[in-house]
Amino acid sequence: MTDSTGEAVAIVYPTSFGEGWLAFAGEGLIELGLPGAASPYPLSRKAPDWITQLAAGLTGYWRGGELPAVADTLLQSVGRTPLTDAIYRRVAAIPAGRTMTYGEVAAAVGRPRAARAVGAAMAANHFAPLIPCHRLVGSDGSLRGYAGGLDMKRYLIAMEAALVHG
């Protein structure tokens, strides 16, 4: 769905950190904005049902629920290179309540020396938290950069751990 000029549009959804947003065009999801980030896309009140359902799922997630499942078609469309695609797939498969290091992800995709490439791929991730880059930590277990800030990253890791471990 696009606006009257044919441009991509976004809808917002509420979270405990402020409004997040989903940008889409036609039947494609273009980008997610973490709570507190302004949308560069014009806002719309209309969206396809699957976008509305995804927004509701994300609202539930930020309130302590499970993360909506990542569609394989989304994973196929986000990688710019085979390595980036493999990194996004591996990160999307990290279970809630768990973390991996950048080096562990690099090794898991067959590139044990590519920890920096994992970091670069996560910095370019336009689908957080669906591709849960917040689940990556430094080799010493410390929190590293996150577009929403380290407080948000810490919150998400703790929230997911509480959900899994009850």
Side-chain angles (χ1 to χ4, degrees), residues 110-157:
R111 299 282 301 272
R113 294 183 174 187
R116 287 188 179 164
V118 173
M122 293 301 95
N125 177 14
H126 292 278
F127 297 96
L130 290 180
I131 297 175
C133 49
H134 63 275
R135 295 179 186 159
L136 293 181
V137 296
S139 60
D140 61 357
S142 64
L143 299 184
R144 300 285 190 231
Y146 187 65
L150 293 183
D151 287 341
M152 185 181 291
K153 184 171 185 165
R154 190 175 293 108
Y155 167 83
L156 292 173
I157 290 170

Coordinates of all heavy atoms in Angstrom, one line a residue, residues 110-157:
G110 N 30.4 -19.9 9.1 CA 31.5 -20.4 8.4 C 32.6 -19.4 8.1 O 33.5 -19.6 7.3
R111 N 32.6 -18.3 8.8 CA 33.6 -17.2 8.6 C 34.1 -16.8 10.0 O 33.8 -15.7 10.4 CB 33.0 -16.0 7.9 CG 32.4 -16.3 6.5 CD 33.5 -16.4 5.4 NE 34.3 -15.2 5.3 CZ 34.0 -14.1 4.5 NH1 32.9 -14.2 3.8 NH2 34.7 -13.1 4.5
P112 N 34.9 -17.6 10.6 CA 35.3 -17.4 12.0 C 36.1 -16.1 12.3 O 36.1 -15.6 13.4 CB 36.1 -18.6 12.4 CG 36.5 -19.2 11.1 CD 35.4 -18.9 10.1
R113 N 36.6 -15.5 11.2 CA 37.4 -14.2 11.4 C 36.5 -13.0 11.0 O 37.1 -11.9 10.9 CB 38.6 -14.2 10.5 CG 39.6 -15.3 11.0 CD 40.9 -15.2 10.2 NE 41.8 -16.1 10.8 CZ 43.1 -16.2 10.3 NH1 43.5 -15.4 9.3 NH2 43.9 -17.0 10.9
A114 N 35.3 -13.2 10.8 CA 34.4 -12.1 10.3 C 33.5 -11.5 11.4 O 32.5 -11.0 11.1 CB 33.5 -12.6 9.2
A115 N 34.0 -11.4 12.6 CA 33.2 -10.8 13.7 C 32.9 -9.3 13.3 O 31.8 -8.9 13.6 CB 34.0 -10.9 15.0
R116 N 33.8 -8.6 12.7 CA 33.6 -7.2 12.4 C 32.5 -7.1 11.3 O 31.7 -6.2 11.2 CB 34.8 -6.5 11.9 CG 35.7 -6.2 13.1 CD 36.9 -5.4 12.8 NE 37.7 -5.1 13.9 CZ 38.9 -4.7 13.9 NH1 39.5 -4.4 12.8 NH2 39.6 -4.5 15.1
A117 N 32.5 -8.1 10.4 CA 31.4 -8.1 9.3 C 30.1 -8.4 10.0 O 29.1 -7.8 9.5 CB 31.7 -9.2 8.3
V118 N 30.0 -9.2 11.0 CA 28.8 -9.4 11.7 C 28.3 -8.1 12.3 O 27.2 -7.7 12.2 CB 28.9 -10.5 12.8 CG1 27.7 -10.5 13.7 CG2 29.2 -11.8 12.2
G119 N 29.3 -7.3 13.0 CA 28.9 -6.0 13.5 C 28.4 -5.0 12.5 O 27.5 -4.3 12.7
A120 N 29.1 -5.0 11.3 CA 28.7 -4.1 10.3 C 27.3 -4.5 9.8 O 26.4 -3.6 9.5 CB 29.7 -4.2 9.1
A121 N 27.0 -5.8 9.6 CA 25.7 -6.3 9.2 C 24.6 -5.8 10.2 O 23.5 -5.4 9.8 CB 25.6 -7.8 9.0
M122 N 24.9 -6.0 11.5 CA 23.9 -5.6 12.5 C 23.7 -4.1 12.5 O 22.6 -3.6 12.7 CB 24.4 -6.1 13.9 CG 24.3 -7.6 14.0 SD 22.7 -8.3 13.7 CE 22.8 -8.8 11.9
A123 N 24.8 -3.3 12.3 CA 24.6 -1.8 12.2 C 23.7 -1.4 11.0 O 23.1 -0.4 11.1 CB 26.0 -1.2 12.1
A124 N 23.7 -2.2 10.0 CA 22.9 -1.9 8.8 C 21.5 -2.6 8.9 O 20.7 -2.5 7.9 CB 23.6 -2.4 7.5
N125 N 21.2 -3.3 10.0 CA 19.9 -4.0 10.1 C 18.8 -3.0 10.2 O 18.6 -2.3 11.2 CB 20.0 -4.9 11.4 CG 18.7 -5.6 11.7 OD1 17.8 -5.7 10.9 ND2 18.7 -6.1 12.9
H126 N 17.9 -3.1 9.2 CA 16.7 -2.2 9.2 C 15.5 -2.9 9.7 O 14.4 -2.4 9.5 CB 16.5 -1.7 7.8 CG 17.5 -0.7 7.3 ND1 17.5 0.6 7.6 CD2 18.6 -0.9 6.6 CE1 18.6 1.2 7.1 NE2 19.3 0.3 6.4
F127 N 15.6 -4.0 10.3 CA 14.5 -4.8 10.8 C 14.5 -5.2 12.2 O 14.0 -6.2 12.6 CB 14.3 -6.0 9.9 CG 14.0 -5.6 8.4 CD1 15.0 -5.6 7.5 CD2 12.7 -5.3 8.1 CE1 14.8 -5.2 6.2 CE2 12.5 -4.8 6.8 CZ 13.5 -4.8 5.8
A128 N 15.2 -4.5 13.1 CA 15.3 -4.7 14.5 C 13.9 -4.3 15.1 O 13.3 -3.3 14.6 CB 16.3 -3.9 15.2
P129 N 13.3 -5.1 15.9 CA 13.9 -6.2 16.6 C 13.5 -7.6 15.9 O 13.9 -8.6 16.4 CB 13.2 -6.2 18.0 CG 11.9 -5.7 17.7 CD 12.1 -4.7 16.6
L130 N 12.9 -7.6 14.7 CA 12.6 -8.8 14.1 C 13.8 -9.6 13.8 O 13.9 -10.9 13.9 CB 11.8 -8.6 12.8 CG 10.3 -8.1 13.0 CD1 9.7 -8.0 11.6 CD2 9.5 -9.1 13.8
I131 N 14.9 -9.0 13.3 CA 16.2 -9.6 13.2 C 16.9 -9.0 14.5 O 17.3 -7.9 14.6 CB 16.9 -9.2 12.0 CG1 16.2 -9.7 10.7 CG2 18.4 -9.7 12.0 CD1 16.7 -9.3 9.4
P132 N 16.9 -9.9 15.5 CA 17.2 -9.4 16.9 C 18.7 -9.1 17.2 O 19.3 -9.9 18.0 CB 16.6 -10.5 17.8 CG 16.8 -11.8 16.9 CD 16.6 -11.3 15.5
C133 N 19.2 -8.1 16.6 CA 20.6 -7.7 16.8 C 20.9 -7.4 18.3 O 22.0 -7.4 18.7 CB 21.0 -6.6 15.9 SG 19.9 -5.2 15.9
H134 N 19.8 -7.1 19.1 CA 20.0 -6.9 20.5 C 20.6 -8.1 21.2 O 21.1 -8.0 22.3 CB 18.8 -6.4 21.2 CG 17.6 -7.3 21.1 ND1 16.8 -7.4 20.0 CD2 17.2 -8.3 22.0 CE1 15.9 -8.4 20.3 NE2 16.1 -8.9 21.5
R135 N 20.4 -9.3 20.6 CA 20.9 -10.5 21.2 C 22.4 -10.8 21.0 O 22.9 -11.8 21.4 CB 20.1 -11.7 20.7 CG 18.6 -11.6 21.1 CD 17.8 -12.8 20.6 NE 16.4 -12.6 20.9 CZ 15.4 -13.1 20.2 NH1 15.6 -14.0 19.3 NH2 14.1 -12.9 20.5
L136 N 23.1 -9.8 20.4 CA 24.5 -10.0 20.2 C 25.3 -9.2 21.3 O 24.9 -8.1 21.6 CB 24.9 -9.5 18.8 CG 24.4 -10.4 17.7 CD1 24.9 -9.8 16.4 CD2 24.8 -11.8 17.8
V137 N 26.3 -9.8 21.8 CA 27.2 -9.2 22.8 C 28.6 -9.3 22.4 O 29.0 -10.1 21.5 CB 27.0 -9.8 24.2 CG1 25.5 -9.6 24.7 CG2 27.3 -11.3 24.2
G138 N 29.5 -8.5 23.1 CA 30.9 -8.6 22.8 C 31.5 -9.9 23.3 O 30.9 -10.7 24.0
S139 N 32.7 -10.2 22.9 CA 33.4 -11.4 23.2 C 33.5 -11.6 24.7 O 33.6 -12.7 25.2 CB 34.7 -11.5 22.6 OG 35.6 -10.5 23.0
D140 N 33.5 -10.5 25.5 CA 33.6 -10.6 27.0 C 32.2 -10.6 27.6 O 32.1 -10.5 28.8 CB 34.5 -9.5 27.5 CG 33.9 -8.1 27.2 OD1 32.9 -8.0 26.5 OD2 34.5 -7.1 27.6
G141 N 31.2 -10.6 26.8 CA 29.8 -10.6 27.3 C 29.2 -9.3 27.5 O 28.1 -9.1 27.9
S142 N 30.0 -8.2 27.3 CA 29.5 -6.9 27.5 C 28.6 -6.4 26.3 O 28.7 -7.0 25.2 CB 30.7 -5.9 27.5 OG 31.4 -5.9 26.3
L143 N 27.7 -5.5 26.6 CA 26.8 -5.0 25.6 C 27.6 -4.0 24.7 O 28.4 -3.2 25.2 CB 25.7 -4.2 26.3 CG 24.8 -5.1 27.2 CD1 23.6 -4.2 27.7 CD2 24.3 -6.3 26.5
R144 N 27.4 -4.1 23.5 CA 28.0 -3.2 22.5 C 26.8 -2.4 21.8 O 25.7 -2.6 22.1 CB 28.7 -4.1 21.4 CG 29.8 -4.9 21.9 CD 31.0 -4.1 22.3 NE 32.2 -5.0 22.5 CZ 32.9 -4.8 23.6 NH1 32.6 -3.9 24.5 NH2 33.9 -5.6 23.8
G145 N 27.2 -1.5 21.0 CA 26.2 -0.6 20.4 C 24.9 -1.2 19.9 O 24.8 -2.3 19.5
Y146 N 23.9 -0.3 20.0 CA 22.5 -0.7 19.6 C 21.9 0.6 19.2 O 22.0 1.6 19.9 CB 21.8 -1.4 20.8 CG 20.4 -1.9 20.4 CD1 20.3 -2.9 19.4 CD2 19.2 -1.4 20.9 CE1 19.1 -3.5 19.1 CE2 18.0 -1.9 20.5 CZ 17.9 -2.9 19.6 OH 16.7 -3.4 19.2
A147 N 21.2 0.6 18.1 CA 20.6 1.8 17.5 C 19.6 2.5 18.5 O 19.5 3.7 18.6 CB 19.8 1.5 16.2
G148 N 19.0 1.7 19.3 CA 18.1 2.3 20.4 C 18.7 2.6 21.6 O 18.1 3.1 22.6
G149 N 20.0 2.4 21.7 CA 20.8 2.7 22.9 C 21.0 1.5 23.8 O 20.2 0.5 23.7
L150 N 22.0 1.5 24.7 CA 22.3 0.3 25.5 C 21.2 0.1 26.5 O 21.0 -1.1 26.9 CB 23.6 0.5 26.1 CG 24.8 0.5 25.2 CD1 26.1 0.5 25.9 CD2 24.8 -0.8 24.3
D151 N 20.5 1.1 27.0 CA 19.4 0.9 28.0 C 18.3 0.1 27.3 O 17.8 -0.9 28.0 CB 18.8 2.2 28.5 CG 19.8 2.9 29.5 OD1 20.7 2.2 30.0 OD2 19.6 4.1 29.7
M152 N 18.0 0.4 26.1 CA 17.0 -0.4 25.4 C 17.4 -1.8 25.1 O 16.7 -2.8 25.3 CB 16.6 0.3 24.0 CG 15.4 -0.4 23.3 SD 15.0 0.4 21.7 CE 14.4 1.9 22.3
K153 N 18.7 -2.0 24.8 CA 19.3 -3.3 24.5 C 19.2 -4.1 25.8 O 18.8 -5.3 25.8 CB 20.7 -3.2 24.0 CG 21.3 -4.5 23.6 CD 22.7 -4.3 22.9 CE 23.3 -5.6 22.5 NZ 24.3 -5.4 21.5
R154 N 19.6 -3.5 26.9 CA 19.6 -4.2 28.2 C 18.2 -4.6 28.6 O 17.9 -5.7 29.1 CB 20.2 -3.2 29.3 CG 20.5 -3.8 30.6 CD 21.2 -2.8 31.6 NE 22.5 -2.5 31.1 CZ 22.9 -1.3 30.5 NH1 22.0 -0.4 30.4 NH2 24.1 -1.1 30.1
Y155 N 17.2 -3.7 28.4 CA 15.8 -4.0 28.7 C 15.3 -5.2 27.9 O 14.7 -6.1 28.4 CB 15.0 -2.8 28.4 CG 13.5 -3.0 28.3 CD1 12.7 -3.1 29.5 CD2 12.8 -3.3 27.1 CE1 11.4 -3.3 29.5 CE2 11.5 -3.5 27.1 CZ 10.7 -3.6 28.3 OH 9.4 -3.8 28.3
L156 N 15.6 -5.2 26.6 CA 15.1 -6.3 25.7 C 15.7 -7.7 26.1 O 15.0 -8.7 26.2 CB 15.5 -6.0 24.2 CG 14.7 -4.9 23.6 CD1 15.2 -4.6 22.2 CD2 13.2 -5.1 23.6
I157 N 17.0 -7.7 26.4 CA 17.6 -8.9 26.9 C 17.0 -9.4 28.2 O 16.7 -10.6 28.3 CB 19.2 -8.8 27.0 CG1 19.8 -8.6 25.6 CG2 19.8 -9.9 27.7 CD1 21.2 -8.2 25.6

